[in-house]
Amino acid sequence: MASLSKFRALKPGVYGPLPTFFDDNQDIDFASYKRHLLNLATKGIVPVCAGSLGEAVHLNYDERTQVIKFIRETLDHEGLTSMPIVAGVGGLSTRETISFAKAAALAGADAGMVILPAYYAAALSSDQEQVIQYFVDICEASPIPLLLYNFPINAAGQDMSSGVIEAIMRKAPNLCGVKLTCGGSIGKLIRLNSAVKETPSLNSDRKFPFIFLDGLIADLVPWVASGGHGTVSGIPNFAPIATMKLWNYCNNSEPTEAESKEAKRIEAILARADIAAVPAGIRGMKYALNKIKGYGIAPRKPLLPLKDAEGEVLMRALQELFELEAELKKAA
C-alpha cells in the first residue's frame, strides 16, 4: 500500500457534498462545478465529490477520476493546496470498491468514503461478518484512508450498529473515520467515542486522528457536544456562510449571551431547512441551486428535474435559509 504521508489528513470541520452539474447534453458542466466548488472551499468547507448528492452511481469510472482531478487542480490554482478532497469510492463489490479507491488516489483524493453495496443487501444483512470483512478488505487494499458511511436510505435499508462499526475500527487501521446519516446517530457516536477512550490505541496506532462526522446539519450542535468532529451536510450548498458561522459557534467554549442567542437562531433555521432539503434529495438540491445560482437543473436520467409545483414548495420552505445567508453575507 502506498505511503499515507503524502495525503492530507482529515480534520474536524464542515464537509460539503458537491452536486455534479450537467449541461443540456447531460455531460458534466465543469464551469458551474468550478463556481460552486470555489464558493464553498474559499469559505473553509472541504469538498466531498462523487457521493450520494454527487450522483456517483450516474458517473462512469473516467468521469469520477476527471472530477477529482478537476477539483485538485482548481483548489491548487486558488492557493488552497492544503485542503483535502474526499471522494466517494463505494462500488457494488469488494473488487470494484478497491478499484475506485486506487483510481481516486491517483487522481488526487486524500480519502475515500464508502457506503455499503446495496444490490445484495438482504444477503449481506444475513451475516454481519460479511459487512465487517468488506470494510477490512477494502481498507487493507486502499492506498488512501477510508471513511465508513452509514446511510441506510441509500444502502437498501442496511443500518450498521455501533457494535459492527467498532469491530471494523478495531480490525481496519486504514479506516480514518465514520459518517453517520442514520437514526440514533448520536447514541452510536457516544458508544464509539467511549470505545476510543477505553482503548486509546484505536487512535494512537493510526497515522491520522479518527474523526466522527454527522450527516445532518440539524444534529450539529448536540453532535459536537457529544464528541463529534463535524458534519457532511448538503445544507452548505445553499448556505456556506451560515453553516460555517454555526460551526464556529459550536467551537466557542465561552460564548457571550448574544453569541449563544445568535447560535440558536442559526441552528433553528438550518435545522428547518434540513427537514425540507433531505427528503427532496438531489432533484430538490438541483432545483434550488438552479433558482438561486443558475446551475443546471437536471440530474442524470433516469432521474428527471423536480416539477415546478414541488419545487415551489421546496423554495418556500428554504426561503428563511436564503434570507439568513444573504443577511450574513451582507454583514460580512
Side-chain angles (χ1 to χ4, degrees), residues 295-326:
Y295 304 141
I297 197 171
R300 261 194 177 159
K301 294 178 178 179
L303 296 182
L304 297 175
L306 207 63
K307 294 181 175 64
D308 282 336
E310 299 171 279
E312 288 168 5
V313 171
L314 175 63
M315 294 300 287
R316 286 196 294 271
L318 296 178
Q319 186 58 37
E320 67 171 346
L321 176 68
F322 301 148
E323 291 172 357
L324 171 65
E325 184 72 3

Side-chain angles (χ1 to χ4, degrees), residues 207-222:
K207 291 182 169 61
F208 30 71
F210 200 89
I211 62 171
F212 295 107
L213 301 172
D214 186 44
L216 297 171
I217 202 74
D219 294 337
L220 183 58
V221 173

Side-chain angles (χ1 to χ4, degrees), residues 18-295:
L18 302 172
T20 306
F21 302 104
F22 303 110
D23 61 22
D24 292 341
N25 295 319
Q26 295 256 292
D27 294 322
I28 297 177
D29 176 3
F30 283 105
S32 294
Y33 204 111
K34 180 178 181 178
R35 282 176 54 206
H36 191 62
L37 164 66
L38 291 178
N39 184 40
L40 272 60
T42 54
K43 296 174 179 64
I45 295 168
V46 178
V48 179
C49 65
S52 302
L53 284 177
E55 296 185 64
V57 295
H58 291 164
L59 304 179
N60 63 35
Y61 185 93
D62 290 337
E63 287 174 327
R64 288 193 184 202
T65 57
Q66 286 172 9
V67 165
I68 298 168
K69 289 178 181 177
F70 181 80
I71 294 173
R72 185 73 270 157
E73 290 170 359
T74 301
L75 293 177
D76 289 350
H77 184 265
E78 295 297 320
L80 299 170
T81 56
S82 64
M83 179 168 279
I85 299 171
V86 179
V89 297
L92 291 178
S93 68
T94 298
R95 180 182 288 260
E96 185 177 51
T97 298
I98 291 170
S99 175
F100 282 145
K102 290 179 176 178
L106 289 173
D110 299 286
M113 185 177 290
V114 180
I115 191 171
L116 277 173
Y119 195 87
Y120 291 110
L124 269 178
S125 298
S126 68
D127 181 0
Q128 291 297 293
E129 286 300 318
Q130 298 176 107
V131 172
I132 295 170
Q133 192 61 49
Y134 171 68
F135 278 99
V136 170
D137 288 343
I138 62 176
C139 283
E140 286 181 349
S142 173
I144 50 177
L146 299 179
L147 281 158
L148 178 155
Y149 182 16
N150 188 47
F151 190 18
I153 291 176
N154 279 16
Q158 296 176 91
D159 187 2
M160 286 178 272
S161 68
S162 55
V164 167
I165 296 171
E166 181 182 339
I168 295 168
M169 289 168 58
R170 292 183 181 278
K171 294 182 178 182
N174 197 29
L175 190 75
C176 67
V178 169
K179 177 195 174 185
L180 299 178
T181 310
C182 53
S185 59
I186 292 180
K188 290 180 182 179
L189 166 66
I190 292 170
R191 291 188 288 274
L192 293 172
N193 249 331
S194 177
V196 172
K197 291 176 182 176
E198 291 170 2
T199 311
S201 60
L202 281 175
N203 246 343
S204 61
D205 289 351
R206 285 179 160 78
K207 291 182 169 61
F208 30 71
F210 200 89
I211 62 171
F212 295 107
L213 301 172
D214 186 44
L216 297 171
I217 202 74
D219 294 337
L220 183 58
V221 173
W223 183 263
V224 173
S226 300
H229 303 108
T231 185
V232 186
S233 165
I235 293 299
N237 286 294
F238 304 126
I241 298 173
T243 304
M244 290 303 296
K245 193 88 169 175
L246 182 62
W247 169 249
N248 291 333
Y249 281 133
C250 286
N251 290 279
N252 184 351
S253 59
E254 297 182 357
T256 65
E257 183 177 346
E259 288 171 336
S260 294
K261 183 177 180 180
E262 177 67 353
K264 289 178 181 178
R265 181 178 80 98
I266 294 174
E267 177 189 13
I269 293 173
L270 267 59
R272 287 192 288 270
D274 223 13
I275 291 172
V278 171
I282 185 58
R283 297 171 72 219
M285 173 75 66
K286 288 196 165 180
Y287 186 96
L289 287 174
N290 172 264
K291 297 303 179 184
I292 64 174
K293 296 290 186 180
Y295 304 141

